Amino acid sequence: DAGITQSPRHKVTETGTPVTLRCHQTENHRYMYWYRQDPGHGLRLIHYSYGVKDTDKGEVSDGYSVSRSKTEDFLLTLESATSSQTSVYFCAITEVIGANYYGYTFGSGTRLTVV
Amino acid sequence: KQEVTQIPAALSVPEGENLVLNCSFTDSAIYNLQWFRQDPGKGLTSLLLIQSSQREQTSGRLNASLDKSSGRSTLYIAASQPGDSATYLCAVPHSNYQLIWGAGTKLIIKP
């Protein structure tokens, strides 16, 4: 795709364990976002980043943390996974330079199952 | 507060028909509007991005229009094909370019 990859693609984990999902981009975009998608809820923003070490919470941030130590990587950590965090997780990137807005590009998603 | 609505929620049409999907927004002060498609079990693919200064964008059989004054965007699909079956989503950005999403239109094209 347009230089954004998510890993792993699928993961099954046990309740109570920490889990880290990775989003890697090669576009040098400042803005990165983590979403979850569940039936009946659409896409909900978890956390986002507007630069290295600059992050903020979205609408469903409880139980999640993020880190961005370099432009290309945005990590999402489930501190202690619960069954309610079973979901499909999408990463997205965008950039704005002057008046030019590049639009969103999404990764292929990570399907996480917490058992 | 910006709200984005998509009508209809679902649409089923025979192959070959031209069709229009609608997206409305409550705050006309938008930077741009983006249309996506999502196939079942897959990720989101960007279809068209319309900047606020533009009135329409075209890509192949797809044409998206934007009318900020009326708070509407339409996605026109010409000569629909079974491969067009998917959920179509529109979204507008707000602070820090976070997207406000419509709930989507699920499109089924019958062979």
Side-chain angles (χ1 to χ4, degrees):
Chain A
D1 210 331
I4 177 171
T5 55
Q6 292 184 233
S7 59
R9 292 295 309 277
H10 302 272
K11 186 170 182 66
V12 179
T13 192
E14 293 187 349
T15 297
T17 61
V19 177
T20 296
L21 309 183
R22 182 187 186 222
C23 178
H24 178 77
Q25 56 134 335
T26 57
E27 304 297 314
N28 202 37
H29 286 353
R30 279 178 296 166
Y31 298 89
M32 300 185 75
Y33 306 82
W34 276 108
Y35 285 90
R36 61 179 288 175
Q37 187 175 39
D38 306 287
H41 289 280
L43 284 156
R44 293 183 290 174
L45 182 65
I46 305 170
H47 281 279
Y48 65 98
S49 171
Y50 45 97
V52 173
K53 297 188 178 175
D54 290 324
T55 64
D56 206 347
K57 297 178 180 180
E59 61 181 306
V60 291
S61 60
D62 287 348
Y64 301 94
S65 63
V66 290
S67 66
R68 191 164 178 205
S69 60
K70 44 186 179 176
T71 299
E72 56 265 37
D73 289 324
F74 192 32
L75 305 179
L76 176 70
T77 297
L78 288 65
E79 294 143 8
S80 177
T82 67
S83 58
S84 65
Q85 294 175 312
T86 292
S87 187
V88 180
Y89 291 85
F90 289 104
C91 177
I93 60 174
T94 193
E95 182 57 86
V96 181
I97 300 176
N100 294 317
Y101 171 75
Y102 286 70
Y104 270 52
T105 301
F106 278 82
S108 299
T110 294
R111 187 173 296 274
L112 177 69
T113 303
V114 183
V115 298
Chain B
K1 179 186 172 185
Q2 179 73 276
E3 293 182 1
V4 179
T5 304
Q6 290 187 247
I7 294 173
L11 182 63
S12 179
V13 300
E15 180 178 5
E17 284 199 5
N18 302 323
L19 54 98
V20 174
L21 307 181
N22 296 293
C23 173
S24 61
F25 44 93
T26 54
D27 184 351
S28 62
I30 61 170
Y31 300 116
N32 51 66
L33 185 144
Q34 195 166 1
W35 282 93
F36 299 87
R37 73 172 275 171
Q38 185 174 30
D39 295 278
K42 303 293 185 182
L44 285 88
T45 301
S46 178
L47 296 174
L48 290 163
L49 170 67
I50 312 177
Q51 305 289 354
S52 61
S53 58
Q54 299 173 318
R55 292 194 63 84
E56 65 178 59
Q57 279 279 12
T58 298
S59 176
R61 295 183 292 107
L62 304 180
N63 176 276
S65 67
L66 176 64
D67 184 344
K68 289 175 59 179
S69 62
S70 66
R72 286 189 62 196
S73 176
T74 60
L75 180 67
Y76 176 83
I77 303 176
S80 58
Q81 303 170 357
D84 295 329
S85 298
T87 296
Y88 291 79
L89 296 149
C90 66
V92 297
H94 74 118
S95 63
N96 270 319
Y97 306 102
Q98 298 172 57
L99 290 181
I100 307 295
W101 294 90
T105 294
K106 184 175 182 179
L107 177 63
I108 296 174
I109 308 297
K110 297 173 290 187

